[in-house]
Amino acid sequence: MSLHKDIKRVTTHVLQEMKSQNEKISMLTAYDFSIAKIVDQAGIDVILVGDSASNVMAGHETTLPITLDQMIYHAASVIRAINRSLVVVDLPFGNYQGDSREALRSAIRIMKEAEAHAVKLEGGRQVVESVERILSAGIPVMGHLGLTPQSIYKFGTYTVRAREEEEANALIEDALLLQKTGCFAIILEKIPAKLASLIAEKLDIPVIGIGAGGGVDGQVLVLHDMLGITQEFSPRFLRRYHNLHQEIYNACSSFKKDVKSEDFPNSKEQY
Ligand code: KIV
């Protein structure tokens, strides 16, 4: 059910209303103008300019190498395309951890240069000072807990997080702390569905899951994964809505065949 399909702009306030009215929030990544335009037109509530751009756009193995300038470039391209969606931009690794003043400077650059609507950062208690300082400038912040890809070298694995009681309790505390600090929503990545649904119940702010089951307030996926452009990444939580890899491959092969056989361009396809 979509109570909010007619609203002109999704805001953090609208997301909050969706949670209170039990309307699930839809969220997808986008990193460029043309794709963002389609995602926005499809009525997706939140577009995440994720640092997953480091993987799917730039081909890096992790999200760590992407820079603030590169994130701003992607975010500005997305912002130029959208009419309705709320656009949240990831603060990249190294631009907010350990120095809340730098966190604020980075967030301001994203808001000013890309004209984004909100920022997202990973972590709980370790980043609370940064969250507080960014919020003090009136910039909405989304949290991200559970599997946090910017810390992949610390964990050494992409397996499900917070299966053990101690880690689960720490995660609940972090979620409550992010809410108390003023985050407008949080993402929970790759944690047990029961734990995610418990956190969504405990929190008043929207909880959006990726690999966190159906008991949360919304779902996010990386667009390139759900469209089947990426092939090598296939965790259990990923539903593929298309096999775009195959479609693009087929189109490229047909083009090549037509060029080689001199079938393209034909007499109508020229001046
Ligand atoms: O960068 C990203 O795409 C993300 C999602 C996985 C939530 O943070």
Side-chain angles (χ1 to χ4, degrees), residues 27 29 31 48-53 63 90 120 122 144 149 187 189 210 220 222:
M27 178 166 172
T29 60
Y31 319 101
L48 173 65
V49 183
D51 59 358
S52 49
T63 57
D90 264 334
K120 170 165 92 60
E122 296 181 6
H144 184 154
I187 298 238
E189 181 165 353
I210 173 163
V220 56
V222 170

PDB file of all heavy atoms in Angstrom, residues 27 29 31 48-53 63 90 120 122 144 149 187 189 210 220 222, ligand 1:
ATOM      1  N   MET A  27      14.012   2.115  -0.955  1.00  0.00           N
ATOM      2  CA  MET A  27      15.269   2.863  -1.101  1.00  0.00           C
ATOM      3  C   MET A  27      16.196   2.076  -2.036  1.00  0.00           C
ATOM      4  O   MET A  27      16.323   0.860  -1.915  1.00  0.00           O
ATOM      5  CB  MET A  27      15.898   3.016   0.289  1.00  0.00           C
ATOM      6  CG  MET A  27      17.232   3.712   0.362  1.00  0.00           C
ATOM      7  SD  MET A  27      17.570   4.126   2.116  1.00  0.00           S
ATOM      8  CE  MET A  27      19.234   4.711   2.019  1.00  0.00           C
ATOM      9  N   THR A  29      20.037   2.520  -4.518  1.00  0.00           N
ATOM     10  CA  THR A  29      21.196   3.370  -4.805  1.00  0.00           C
ATOM     11  C   THR A  29      21.086   3.916  -6.230  1.00  0.00           C
ATOM     12  O   THR A  29      20.422   3.338  -7.086  1.00  0.00           O
ATOM     13  CB  THR A  29      22.515   2.586  -4.717  1.00  0.00           C
ATOM     14  OG1 THR A  29      22.479   1.517  -5.660  1.00  0.00           O
ATOM     15  CG2 THR A  29      22.756   2.047  -3.318  1.00  0.00           C
ATOM     16  N   TYR A  31      23.917   6.531  -8.855  1.00  0.00           N
ATOM     17  CA  TYR A  31      25.182   7.281  -8.819  1.00  0.00           C
ATOM     18  C   TYR A  31      25.317   8.243  -9.991  1.00  0.00           C
ATOM     19  O   TYR A  31      26.314   8.953 -10.089  1.00  0.00           O
ATOM     20  CB  TYR A  31      26.377   6.308  -8.861  1.00  0.00           C
ATOM     21  CG  TYR A  31      26.199   5.074  -8.015  1.00  0.00           C
ATOM     22  CD1 TYR A  31      25.827   3.853  -8.571  1.00  0.00           C
ATOM     23  CD2 TYR A  31      26.388   5.134  -6.624  1.00  0.00           C
ATOM     24  CE1 TYR A  31      25.639   2.729  -7.791  1.00  0.00           C
ATOM     25  CE2 TYR A  31      26.210   4.007  -5.843  1.00  0.00           C
ATOM     26  CZ  TYR A  31      25.840   2.812  -6.435  1.00  0.00           C
ATOM     27  OH  TYR A  31      25.652   1.704  -5.649  1.00  0.00           O
ATOM     28  N   LEU A  48      19.905   6.492  -2.437  1.00  0.00           N
ATOM     29  CA  LEU A  48      21.178   6.550  -1.713  1.00  0.00           C
ATOM     30  C   LEU A  48      22.314   6.658  -2.714  1.00  0.00           C
ATOM     31  O   LEU A  48      22.495   5.779  -3.568  1.00  0.00           O
ATOM     32  CB  LEU A  48      21.359   5.280  -0.871  1.00  0.00           C
ATOM     33  CG  LEU A  48      22.722   5.134  -0.190  1.00  0.00           C
ATOM     34  CD1 LEU A  48      22.935   6.224   0.864  1.00  0.00           C
ATOM     35  CD2 LEU A  48      22.871   3.750   0.452  1.00  0.00           C
ATOM     36  N   VAL A  49      23.059   7.757  -2.627  1.00  0.00           N
ATOM     37  CA  VAL A  49      24.310   7.834  -3.374  1.00  0.00           C
ATOM     38  C   VAL A  49      25.331   7.164  -2.449  1.00  0.00           C
ATOM     39  O   VAL A  49      25.944   7.791  -1.588  1.00  0.00           O
ATOM     40  CB  VAL A  49      24.696   9.289  -3.698  1.00  0.00           C
ATOM     41  CG1 VAL A  49      25.960   9.322  -4.547  1.00  0.00           C
ATOM     42  CG2 VAL A  49      23.554   9.995  -4.404  1.00  0.00           C
ATOM     43  N   GLY A  50      25.389   5.845  -2.587  1.00  0.00           N
ATOM     44  CA  GLY A  50      26.193   5.053  -1.656  1.00  0.00           C
ATOM     45  C   GLY A  50      27.664   5.062  -2.031  1.00  0.00           C
ATOM     46  O   GLY A  50      28.015   5.245  -3.204  1.00  0.00           O
ATOM     47  N   ASP A  51      28.488   4.803  -1.013  1.00  0.00           N
ATOM     48  CA  ASP A  51      29.912   4.660  -1.340  1.00  0.00           C
ATOM     49  C   ASP A  51      30.162   3.313  -2.023  1.00  0.00           C
ATOM     50  O   ASP A  51      31.289   2.999  -2.413  1.00  0.00           O
ATOM     51  CB  ASP A  51      30.800   4.878  -0.109  1.00  0.00           C
ATOM     52  CG  ASP A  51      30.495   3.916   1.016  1.00  0.00           C
ATOM     53  OD1 ASP A  51      29.560   3.094   0.881  1.00  0.00           O
ATOM     54  OD2 ASP A  51      31.192   3.995   2.054  1.00  0.00           O
ATOM     55  N   SER A  52      29.082   2.520  -2.209  1.00  0.00           N
ATOM     56  CA  SER A  52      29.174   1.323  -3.054  1.00  0.00           C
ATOM     57  C   SER A  52      29.512   1.724  -4.492  1.00  0.00           C
ATOM     58  O   SER A  52      29.863   0.864  -5.307  1.00  0.00           O
ATOM     59  CB  SER A  52      27.854   0.533  -3.021  1.00  0.00           C
ATOM     60  OG  SER A  52      26.749   1.385  -3.247  1.00  0.00           O
ATOM     61  N   ALA A  53      29.424   3.018  -4.793  1.00  0.00           N
ATOM     62  CA  ALA A  53      29.929   3.520  -6.086  1.00  0.00           C
ATOM     63  C   ALA A  53      31.389   3.108  -6.269  1.00  0.00           C
ATOM     64  O   ALA A  53      31.847   2.882  -7.397  1.00  0.00           O
ATOM     65  CB  ALA A  53      29.807   5.037  -6.144  1.00  0.00           C
ATOM     66  N   THR A  63      34.817  -0.328  -0.371  1.00  0.00           N
ATOM     67  CA  THR A  63      34.293   1.044  -0.445  1.00  0.00           C
ATOM     68  C   THR A  63      35.320   2.072   0.045  1.00  0.00           C
ATOM     69  O   THR A  63      35.058   3.270  -0.012  1.00  0.00           O
ATOM     70  CB  THR A  63      33.014   1.183   0.405  1.00  0.00           C
ATOM     71  OG1 THR A  63      33.304   0.804   1.753  1.00  0.00           O
ATOM     72  CG2 THR A  63      31.893   0.317  -0.125  1.00  0.00           C
ATOM     73  N   ASP A  90      26.435   9.093   1.119  1.00  0.00           N
ATOM     74  CA  ASP A  90      27.395   8.519   2.064  1.00  0.00           C
ATOM     75  C   ASP A  90      28.591   9.438   2.285  1.00  0.00           C
ATOM     76  O   ASP A  90      29.187   9.937   1.315  1.00  0.00           O
ATOM     77  CB  ASP A  90      27.932   7.190   1.525  1.00  0.00           C
ATOM     78  CG  ASP A  90      27.180   5.998   2.077  1.00  0.00           C
ATOM     79  OD1 ASP A  90      26.614   6.085   3.172  1.00  0.00           O
ATOM     80  OD2 ASP A  90      27.156   4.958   1.380  1.00  0.00           O
ATOM     81  N   LYS A 120      24.813  10.114   5.212  1.00  0.00           N
ATOM     82  CA  LYS A 120      24.798   8.865   5.971  1.00  0.00           C
ATOM     83  C   LYS A 120      26.221   8.549   6.393  1.00  0.00           C
ATOM     84  O   LYS A 120      27.164   8.813   5.632  1.00  0.00           O
ATOM     85  CB  LYS A 120      24.231   7.727   5.108  1.00  0.00           C
ATOM     86  CG  LYS A 120      24.399   6.346   5.706  1.00  0.00           C
ATOM     87  CD  LYS A 120      23.525   5.312   5.027  1.00  0.00           C
ATOM     88  CE  LYS A 120      24.178   4.573   3.876  1.00  0.00           C
ATOM     89  NZ  LYS A 120      25.381   3.815   4.250  1.00  0.00           N
ATOM     90  N   GLU A 122      28.656   5.494   8.829  1.00  0.00           N
ATOM     91  CA  GLU A 122      28.652   4.164   9.432  1.00  0.00           C
ATOM     92  C   GLU A 122      29.170   4.200  10.867  1.00  0.00           C
ATOM     93  O   GLU A 122      30.126   4.930  11.164  1.00  0.00           O
ATOM     94  CB  GLU A 122      29.543   3.215   8.610  1.00  0.00           C
ATOM     95  CG  GLU A 122      29.030   2.978   7.201  1.00  0.00           C
ATOM     96  CD  GLU A 122      29.906   2.022   6.396  1.00  0.00           C
ATOM     97  OE1 GLU A 122      30.870   1.439   6.957  1.00  0.00           O
ATOM     98  OE2 GLU A 122      29.627   1.857   5.191  1.00  0.00           O
ATOM     99  N   HIS A 144      24.120   3.911  10.128  1.00  0.00           N
ATOM    100  CA  HIS A 144      24.303   2.635   9.415  1.00  0.00           C
ATOM    101  C   HIS A 144      25.027   1.685  10.371  1.00  0.00           C
ATOM    102  O   HIS A 144      26.177   1.929  10.733  1.00  0.00           O
ATOM    103  CB  HIS A 144      25.121   2.887   8.137  1.00  0.00           C
ATOM    104  CG  HIS A 144      25.306   1.678   7.269  1.00  0.00           C
ATOM    105  ND1 HIS A 144      25.519   1.774   5.914  1.00  0.00           N
ATOM    106  CD2 HIS A 144      25.335   0.344   7.534  1.00  0.00           C
ATOM    107  CE1 HIS A 144      25.664   0.563   5.383  1.00  0.00           C
ATOM    108  NE2 HIS A 144      25.572  -0.322   6.367  1.00  0.00           N
ATOM    109  N   PRO A 149      30.579  -1.752   5.715  1.00  0.00           N
ATOM    110  CA  PRO A 149      31.654  -2.112   4.775  1.00  0.00           C
ATOM    111  C   PRO A 149      32.934  -1.283   4.914  1.00  0.00           C
ATOM    112  O   PRO A 149      34.003  -1.749   4.544  1.00  0.00           O
ATOM    113  CB  PRO A 149      30.995  -1.899   3.410  1.00  0.00           C
ATOM    114  CG  PRO A 149      29.537  -2.060   3.661  1.00  0.00           C
ATOM    115  CD  PRO A 149      29.306  -1.496   5.031  1.00  0.00           C
ATOM    116  N   ILE A 187      20.111   2.536   8.898  1.00  0.00           N
ATOM    117  CA  ILE A 187      20.185   1.333   8.056  1.00  0.00           C
ATOM    118  C   ILE A 187      20.743   0.207   8.923  1.00  0.00           C
ATOM    119  O   ILE A 187      21.691   0.423   9.686  1.00  0.00           O
ATOM    120  CB  ILE A 187      21.159   1.570   6.883  1.00  0.00           C
ATOM    121  CG1 ILE A 187      20.649   2.700   6.008  1.00  0.00           C
ATOM    122  CG2 ILE A 187      21.435   0.300   6.116  1.00  0.00           C
ATOM    123  CD1 ILE A 187      20.422   2.374   4.574  1.00  0.00           C
ATOM    124  N   GLU A 189      22.400  -3.473   8.290  1.00  0.00           N
ATOM    125  CA  GLU A 189      22.874  -4.330   7.193  1.00  0.00           C
ATOM    126  C   GLU A 189      23.279  -5.706   7.712  1.00  0.00           C
ATOM    127  O   GLU A 189      24.074  -5.822   8.660  1.00  0.00           O
ATOM    128  CB  GLU A 189      24.066  -3.648   6.475  1.00  0.00           C
ATOM    129  CG  GLU A 189      24.585  -4.490   5.315  1.00  0.00           C
ATOM    130  CD  GLU A 189      25.498  -3.724   4.359  1.00  0.00           C
ATOM    131  OE1 GLU A 189      25.646  -2.495   4.499  1.00  0.00           O
ATOM    132  OE2 GLU A 189      26.070  -4.386   3.463  1.00  0.00           O
ATOM    133  N   ILE A 210      18.905  -4.020   4.921  1.00  0.00           N
ATOM    134  CA  ILE A 210      19.474  -4.699   3.741  1.00  0.00           C
ATOM    135  C   ILE A 210      20.021  -6.017   4.292  1.00  0.00           C
ATOM    136  O   ILE A 210      20.965  -6.017   5.091  1.00  0.00           O
ATOM    137  CB  ILE A 210      20.543  -3.849   3.000  1.00  0.00           C
ATOM    138  CG1 ILE A 210      21.220  -4.673   1.904  1.00  0.00           C
ATOM    139  CG2 ILE A 210      21.550  -3.182   3.930  1.00  0.00           C
ATOM    140  CD1 ILE A 210      21.980  -3.843   0.870  1.00  0.00           C
ATOM    141  N   VAL A 220      16.404  -1.491   1.430  1.00  0.00           N
ATOM    142  CA  VAL A 220      17.327  -0.867   0.478  1.00  0.00           C
ATOM    143  C   VAL A 220      18.133  -1.954  -0.231  1.00  0.00           C
ATOM    144  O   VAL A 220      18.489  -2.970   0.376  1.00  0.00           O
ATOM    145  CB  VAL A 220      18.273   0.159   1.170  1.00  0.00           C
ATOM    146  CG1 VAL A 220      19.055  -0.456   2.304  1.00  0.00           C
ATOM    147  CG2 VAL A 220      19.224   0.807   0.142  1.00  0.00           C
ATOM    148  N   VAL A 222      21.341  -2.318  -3.473  1.00  0.00           N
ATOM    149  CA  VAL A 222      22.225  -1.670  -4.444  1.00  0.00           C
ATOM    150  C   VAL A 222      21.630  -1.949  -5.832  1.00  0.00           C
ATOM    151  O   VAL A 222      21.409  -3.105  -6.204  1.00  0.00           O
ATOM    152  CB  VAL A 222      23.662  -2.220  -4.322  1.00  0.00           C
ATOM    153  CG1 VAL A 222      24.528  -1.748  -5.478  1.00  0.00           C
ATOM    154  CG2 VAL A 222      24.280  -1.797  -2.975  1.00  0.00           C
TER     155      VAL A 222
HETATM  156  O1  KIV B   1      26.890   2.225  -0.090  1.00  0.00           O
HETATM  157  C1  KIV B   1      25.821   1.586  -0.136  1.00  0.00           C
HETATM  158  O2  KIV B   1      25.315   1.225  -1.196  1.00  0.00           O
HETATM  159  C2  KIV B   1      25.175   1.256   1.130  1.00  0.00           C
HETATM  160  C3  KIV B   1      24.045   0.276   1.079  1.00  0.00           C
HETATM  161  C4  KIV B   1      24.575  -1.085   1.039  1.00  0.00           C
HETATM  162  C5  KIV B   1      23.091   0.475   2.205  1.00  0.00           C
HETATM  163  O3  KIV B   1      25.554   1.737   2.151  1.00  0.00           O
END
